[in-house]
Amino acid sequence: MYNKILIAFDGSPSSARALMHGVELAKTFESERVTIVHVNKNLPMQEPVMTINLDELIEEEDKELLLPAVKYLSDSGIHYETHTFQGDPGHVIASYANENGFDAIIIGSTGKGLIKEALLGSVSHSVAQLADCPVIIVK
């Protein structure tokens, strides 16, 4: 039933709960694999910063952010992979799931947004609207 599970992860407490729920679901259904997806929002920059390598800095931050998820998955014995993308998180997560035939998406109800209170749950809402598969929103 849930052979391929996608878990959206941004390092927030809500996404950590989604990760735990997704791992339990994967164990219950003996899923083939779990895929962790992290999406960096495209942030407009006024001027290019010439003194730092922004792509390298973002890549290092992504690895650090995903470290707890990777450790949790490794300890659980679940087959997994991780992917990091740029763009609008809701659209990227749903598109990736739709294009790759996932059976379910697990996502936290709130994440690490720039204006968390104003955008409360906007990514999870967007994913639920755009995804072709079931979306489980974890509080």
Side-chain angles (χ1 to χ4, degrees), residues 4-137:
K4 291 172 60 178
I5 298 173
L6 184 148
I7 302 172
F9 189 81
D10 67 0
S12 67
S14 184
S15 72
R17 289 188 297 276
L19 175 67
M20 290 186 282
H21 187 79
V23 166
E24 289 307 311
L25 197 64
K27 287 179 180 178
T28 300
F29 286 99
E30 298 178 359
S31 301
E32 176 185 316
R33 72 180 155 121
V34 169
T35 300
I36 302 298
V37 172
H38 171 65
V39 181
N40 290 307
K41 278 188 173 183
N42 287 332
L43 298 175
M45 294 187 63
Q46 298 297 334
E47 296 179 26
V49 181
M50 299 297 179
T51 59
I52 62 170
N53 183 336
L54 192 57
D55 290 334
E56 189 176 295
L57 182 63
I58 290 171
E59 187 176 325
E60 287 175 26
E61 287 180 351
D62 288 343
K63 284 181 184 175
E64 188 174 319
L65 182 134
L66 289 171
L67 213 72
V70 167
K71 180 171 178 7
Y72 187 79
L73 287 163
S74 294
D75 292 347
S76 73
I78 299 282
H79 295 286
Y80 71 92
E81 59 186 32
T82 63
H83 296 282
T84 302
F85 301 103
Q86 294 283 117
D88 175 74
H91 285 90
V92 170
I93 292 165
S95 294
Y96 185 78
N98 293 343
E99 291 167 10
N100 291 281
F102 281 89
D103 300 311
I105 300 171
I106 318 293
I107 188 168
S109 60
T110 58
K112 288 186 171 181
L114 292 175
I115 309 171
K116 189 175 170 184
E117 293 78 19
L119 302 175
L120 194 63
S122 64
V123 174
S124 57
H125 177 74
S126 178
V127 170
Q129 296 298 313
L130 299 171
D132 294 335
C133 64
V135 177
I136 300 170
I137 300 174

